[in-house]
Amino acid sequence: MSARHQHAVADSPAVPSSAVPTSPVLRPTVSALRTGFARRGAGGRTLLHVVPARRQHLHEVLPHLRPRDRAELDALGPRGAVAEAARAFALSPLRWAVLRGGRCVALFGARPLPCMPGTAAPWLFGTPGLDAEGRALARLGPLFAARMRAAWPRLVNMLHAPALAERPATARWLARCGFAVAAHPMPLGHGGAPFHPFTSGDALAASFAPEQPTNTGG
């Protein structure tokens, strides 16, 4: 469902090691990370599959973030997209890497919100390579969301309004994953940028804003 972006990644800057937090992350069990998903091509060769996300996958994705993902992360705070994404990755006990041809094209995950027990913020960071996998993304999203809900009864985050305006289908994808997107944006993050709240699980007020939202992708 994703539109294709023509984006040169060869000249992308390297990720500074200082941008990746070193705080320990809870390790979920292997069974909690399995998705049962693999896309195969001619001759049975696996084209797309999912593995537990490791730091090496983060270093593959961060220099090549899709423009809309980078813009959303930049809007969240003065630390910038790389630092925001690395922080979300480090604080997430559930996280997966989507590999295409052995190369990481996306990271999915969820991090708990300490201010609300039983609640987590789901996130997605993609590269332009993910935009060639619209059908796979439509199938993977609900699988990831189901595993997140098995760990936390409530999921909540915010969607950058410009990204939603550019890609209205993102709201339909989130609905497929079990989320409801608020119709009207609210100011949030660096400079009061507009974000649409979205929630899953127990009903939450539309005006609720996570302490530190993270990129949702789509």
Side-chain angles (χ1 to χ4, degrees), residues 20-31:
V20 181
T22 57
S23 55
V25 175
L26 297 177
R27 299 297 181 188
T29 62
V30 173
S31 61

Side-chain angles (χ1 to χ4, degrees), residues 65-81:
L65 286 170
R66 296 178 297 184
R68 62 181 178 273
D69 290 356
R70 185 175 295 276
E72 180 170 285
L73 286 161
D74 280 336
L76 291 174
R79 288 176 298 200

Side-chain angles (χ1 to χ4, degrees), residues 16-163:
S17 59
S18 59
V20 181
T22 57
S23 55
V25 175
L26 297 177
R27 299 297 181 188
T29 62
V30 173
S31 61
L33 289 163
R34 289 174 180 158
T35 64
F37 180 90
R39 184 168 70 81
R40 299 183 183 277
R45 183 172 62 92
T46 299
L47 300 179
L48 196 78
H49 65 285
V50 177
V51 299
R54 306 300 184 200
R55 195 168 298 275
Q56 70 187 60
H57 301 125
L58 180 68
H59 281 280
E60 288 181 18
V61 168
L62 288 186
H64 311 308
L65 286 170
R66 296 178 297 184
R68 62 181 178 273
D69 290 356
R70 185 175 295 276
E72 180 170 285
L73 286 161
D74 280 336
L76 291 174
R79 288 176 298 200
V82 168
E84 291 288 348
R87 182 174 185 270
F89 182 92
L91 296 176
S92 298
L94 285 182
R95 59 197 192 195
W96 303 271
V98 180
L99 306 183
R100 181 187 184 199
R103 188 75 179 173
C104 187
V105 296
L107 294 169
F108 280 81
R111 70 173 189 84
L113 299 176
C115 58
M116 292 197 68
T119 304
W123 50 263
L124 161 63
F125 310 132
T127 72
L130 181 64
D131 289 335
E133 302 293 346
R135 293 178 63 183
L137 183 61
R139 182 178 173 187
L140 284 170
L143 293 176
F144 290 131
R147 280 150 181 79
M148 293 174 190
R149 282 191 289 269
W152 300 281
R154 294 177 300 276
L155 301 174
V156 59
N157 211 330
M158 312 290 280
L159 176 62
H160 199 206

Side-chain angles (χ1 to χ4, degrees), residues 2-27:
S2 296
R4 295 178 182 270
H5 286 272
Q6 300 301 320
H7 180 62
V9 298
D11 296 329
S12 299
V15 180
S17 59
S18 59
V20 181
T22 57
S23 55
V25 175
L26 297 177
R27 299 297 181 188

